[in-house]
Amino acid sequence: MDRETDHPAGFSPGAEELDFARRAIDHVRVRSEAALARKESELRRLRAEVECMQIIKQRFESIVDMVPCIIFACNSKGDVTYINGSFTRLTGCPAEDALGDGWQGFTHPDDVETVKQALALAIRSGVPRGAVMRMRPPGGDYVTFSATGTAVRDGNGKFLEWYGMLIPQPGEVHLLGI
């Protein structure tokens, strides 16, 4: 049976109905094409933003990796979520090895609990607590660092992250390969 003649019993669309249906279909098509064009434009904008953010991230990491200090970020539990390239230059290990609580394996055993407590207190209070800690390069003596940092909060004062820095004692900066 032909589609154009396949109608419910007693119904035969006239020219007016067919014209209305064609206009409705054209209207939907035009609106759909416009919506698709808007979505494609938004997708291009988002891709450009992602590319821009990648460039900013690369710049940030390049600058931070040149600093003769170990720079890190950690969450509210004290787990390291970021550490710069100075860690790798000191330890010879990839930065990923320090993430979470991995940093403890590179820290003098006598310093781990003191540093964890100082960091926990600083995170809770939002007030930096200075600490001294020692980390060991492969096959070398421990390097002594002064630790400091700051809390990062959102607009409502809610804790987001802790950014910290391990500053080598004078005369030991060369051990960071800078």
Side-chain angles (χ1 to χ4, degrees):
M1 201 182 261
D2 186 356
R3 273 186 75 75
E4 290 197 324
T5 59
D6 188 15
H7 304 289
F11 177 76
S12 177
E16 251 182 65
E17 287 89 0
L18 290 174
D19 188 47
F20 175 79
R22 285 187 189 106
R23 283 194 319 265
I25 290 170
D26 283 344
H27 177 75
V28 169
R29 181 186 51 76
V30 167
R31 288 184 57 110
S32 296
E33 288 172 355
L36 181 59
R38 286 191 305 273
K39 293 295 180 189
E40 287 172 347
S41 175
E42 177 70 5
L43 186 57
R44 281 191 301 276
R45 187 189 65 75
L46 290 172
R47 283 184 180 140
E49 279 186 31
V50 166
E51 185 177 330
C52 183
M53 292 303 290
Q54 288 170 334
I55 290 169
I56 291 169
K57 180 179 183 252
Q58 289 170 347
R59 286 179 183 164
F60 166 79
E61 289 177 351
S62 294
I63 292 167
V64 168
D65 281 345
M66 291 174 27
V67 175
C69 300
I70 295 176
I71 297 174
F72 65 94
C74 58
N75 61 22
S76 62
K77 294 185 256 178
D79 295 330
V80 173
T81 58
Y82 170 82
I83 197 158
N84 72 338
S86 292
F87 171 83
T88 299
R89 286 191 296 277
L90 174 71
T91 65
C93 296
E96 293 78 29
D97 290 357
L99 299 180
D101 63 2
W103 61 271
Q104 295 175 28
F106 299 92
T107 304
H108 192 288
D110 293 344
D111 298 344
V112 172
E113 277 309 310
T114 304
V115 171
K116 283 172 53 177
Q117 289 173 6
L119 182 58
L121 183 58
I123 288 171
R124 273 195 315 276
S125 70
V127 177
R129 303 280 188 237
V132 174
M133 66 183 289
R134 296 166 285 176
M135 295 181 80
R136 182 173 35 199
D141 293 328
Y142 282 95
V143 178
T144 304
F145 293 89
S146 296
T148 189
T150 189
V152 177
R153 300 184 183 282
D154 67 12
N156 297 320
K158 180 183 175 204
F159 176 87
L160 297 175
E161 281 187 302
W162 183 264
Y163 291 161
M165 185 169 20
L166 304 177
I167 304 164
Q169 296 296 309
E172 296 187 333
V173 173
H174 71 280
L175 294 171
L176 295 177
I178 296 177

